[in-house]
Amino acid sequence: MRKGAKRKTASQADEAVDNHKESKKSSTRAVKASKPESEPEYFEDKRNLEDLWMAAFPVGTEWDQLDILYQFKWDFSNLEKAFEEGGTLHGKKAYLFGCTEPQLVSVKGENKVICIPVVVAVVSPFPPSDKIGINSVQRESEEIIPMKQMKMDWVPYIPLEKRDSQVDRLKSQIFILSCTQRRAALKHLKIDRLKKFEYCLPYFYQPLKEDELEQSTEVQILYSSESKPVFCEFDWELDELEEFTDNMIKEEELTEDQKDDFKEFVREKVREAKKANRQAREARKKALEEMSEETKTAFESMKFYKFYPVSTPDTPDISNVKSPFINRYYGKAHEIL
């Protein structure tokens, strides 16, 4: 009995130790649980199309102006709402490109020239163009080249909530003009190549409508001389070359010795312009003859929408500087939003 009692006592002792350990653990857990918790951090949810306007490359903007462009917290919620149910662009295939417009506006009571970001949406069943125009006052001639030469292309835009899905890239209804030129590599580019990016304009050709250039009788003249270059416009229907040249001499833009050379230079430019106009008319006629009815219908229904930032207390007032004009190729937008 004693031995049995001893075993019982030992067993009770072991049980007591185990209970003590459990009690200690519970006590420790209780202490940990009672430790004050830090306040949870709350982050505002990102909107589904919040970065859409920034994703569209601002074509033709100087590289050193890109950072300045984002100094203000621009609000393009109007662009986002346009793709929501009931919005102008809801359910439509759209191609978007960005651009900037330098304007004198009031910033905190002080007039300043700032670059205003603008987004143009082209509603179309196919890309409006695969080319880019390169033009400026300084350049003697205009270039129309494949946009891929400038590392630009139309790419699908994927809303934030669908970015984990590769399938949605194939179903995208929104495309943006993107540029893959790395800013870090700009220092390795030649000046002429670098400047080309600044002179880029999204190109568009409407074959159903006669281009203004086809009807134009004006030529841009950039005549180089040893003293100074001469910039002027000559209209071969309205201007008489002899009289035009004499006036240039009177205004001391030309010397008497340059007269014959200048006249021949203008004649050559007029011949080039007339040839270009004729070729453009022939190309448009051929394009129309080969175009399917489906493509014609698409061009007829194509619409351009121009989006400016929404006014907010944190951004300059741009209400008085909005314009429907997009560029010399696209002309005017059908609607400003």
Side-chain angles (χ1 to χ4, degrees):
M1 287 292 292
R2 275 178 184 267
K3 287 182 181 178
K6 280 184 181 179
R7 281 198 299 272
K8 188 176 180 182
T9 305
S11 176
Q12 286 174 343
D14 290 340
E15 191 177 340
V17 170
D18 290 339
N19 289 339
H20 176 68
K21 285 180 180 178
E22 283 298 318
S23 174
K24 198 171 181 181
K25 282 181 185 175
S26 301
S27 158
T28 306
R29 282 198 296 269
V31 169
K32 285 182 179 176
S34 64
K35 195 175 180 179
E37 293 183 7
S38 57
E39 286 291 321
E41 290 186 64
Y42 293 98
F43 297 97
E44 191 176 338
D45 288 338
K46 285 195 172 184
R47 301 186 302 277
N48 200 26
L49 304 178
E50 188 172 342
D51 64 352
L52 175 57
W53 78 271
M54 287 187 283
F57 182 68
V59 185
T61 305
E62 294 180 17
W63 291 102
D64 58 3
Q65 293 291 312
L66 289 180
D67 292 332
I68 300 173
L69 185 63
Y70 306 115
Q71 65 178 312
F72 298 104
K73 194 175 180 181
W74 300 108
D75 182 349
F76 275 89
S77 54
N78 53 341
L79 176 62
E80 298 169 43
K81 288 175 183 175
F83 285 98
E84 294 174 0
E85 192 170 347
T88 308
L89 304 177
H90 178 68
K92 297 176 182 177
K93 182 173 280 190
Y95 293 82
L96 277 60
F97 63 84
C99 54
T100 52
E101 296 180 357
Q103 296 285 359
L104 181 67
V105 295
S106 177
V107 181
K108 295 180 180 178
E110 185 181 348
N111 287 336
K112 289 184 179 180
V113 175
I114 62 165
C115 277
I116 301 169
V118 175
V119 175
V120 175
V122 180
V123 172
S124 169
F126 48 73
S129 176
D130 62 352
K131 293 180 174 59
I132 209 87
I134 300 176
N135 203 358
S136 75
V137 176
Q138 293 85 356
R139 297 177 69 86
E140 289 189 28
S141 60
E142 172 189 53
E143 283 185 85
I144 308 297
I145 62 173
M147 58 173 60
K148 287 186 178 180
Q149 285 187 22
M150 301 306 294
K151 296 191 174 182
M152 297 183 196
D153 202 1
W154 298 107
V155 299
Y157 171 82
I158 311 301
L160 288 171
E161 65 183 23
K162 295 181 179 179
R163 286 187 187 169
D164 292 335
S165 171
Q166 291 296 321
V167 178
D168 286 304
R169 292 183 178 276
L170 303 174
K171 298 179 180 178
S172 179
Q173 288 286 90
I174 306 174
F175 293 82
I176 53 171
L177 188 57
S178 174
C179 179
T180 58
Q181 173 63 53
R182 292 184 303 111
R183 292 179 68 183
L186 292 176
K187 58 186 176 184
H188 302 300
L189 297 182
K190 291 181 179 178
I191 295 296
D192 185 57
R193 170 71 176 171
L194 189 62
K195 287 292 180 184
K196 272 188 175 183
F197 281 98
E198 298 172 9
Y199 300 147
C200 283
L201 286 175
Y203 179 76
F204 177 71
Y205 177 63
Q206 172 56 281
L208 305 182
K209 181 181 174 184
E210 190 171 17
D211 194 286
E212 287 182 12
L213 295 176
E214 293 176 37
Q215 306 171 43
S216 175
T217 56
E218 284 187 354
V219 284
Q220 303 287 325
I221 303 297
L222 175 55
Y223 178 74
S224 300
S225 67
E226 293 180 5
S227 55
K228 62 176 182 177
V230 177
F231 296 95
C232 59
E233 287 183 355
F234 179 79
D235 189 315
W236 66 74
E237 286 193 353
L238 300 179
D239 296 323
E240 199 280 315
L241 183 55
E242 184 74 23
E243 182 184 349
F244 184 86
T245 308
D246 287 340
N247 287 335
M248 295 289 285
I249 293 171
K250 284 178 186 177
E251 294 170 5
E252 298 184 349
E253 294 290 334
L254 294 169
T255 64
E256 191 68 41
D257 295 339
Q258 294 173 316
K259 182 174 180 177
D260 291 339
D261 187 60
F262 177 77
K263 285 166 64 178
E264 184 54 39
F265 182 81
V266 173
R267 288 191 191 101
E268 180 60 30
K269 287 296 178 186
V270 169
R271 282 193 290 270
E272 289 176 4
K274 286 181 176 180
K275 182 181 178 181
N277 286 4
R278 185 174 63 255
Q279 289 176 338
R281 283 193 294 270
E282 290 171 356
R284 187 170 62 85
K285 184 180 177 182
K286 185 181 179 183
L288 282 172
E289 289 171 353
E290 297 174 352
M291 190 179 292
S292 67
E293 287 302 317
E294 186 181 359
T295 304
K296 282 182 184 177
T297 303
F299 272 111
E300 286 170 353
S301 61
M302 208 174 276
K303 292 283 188 292
F304 309 148
Y305 298 92
K306 190 175 182 184
F307 291 84
Y308 281 92
V310 174
S311 293
T312 70
D314 301 322
T315 55
D317 180 11
I318 61 169
S319 55
N320 295 324
V321 296
K322 295 180 181 180
S323 165
F325 185 73
I326 300 171
N327 65 32
R328 62 190 298 265
Y329 303 119
Y330 277 86
K332 293 180 179 180
H334 293 90
E335 188 177 344
I336 298 177
L337 294 105

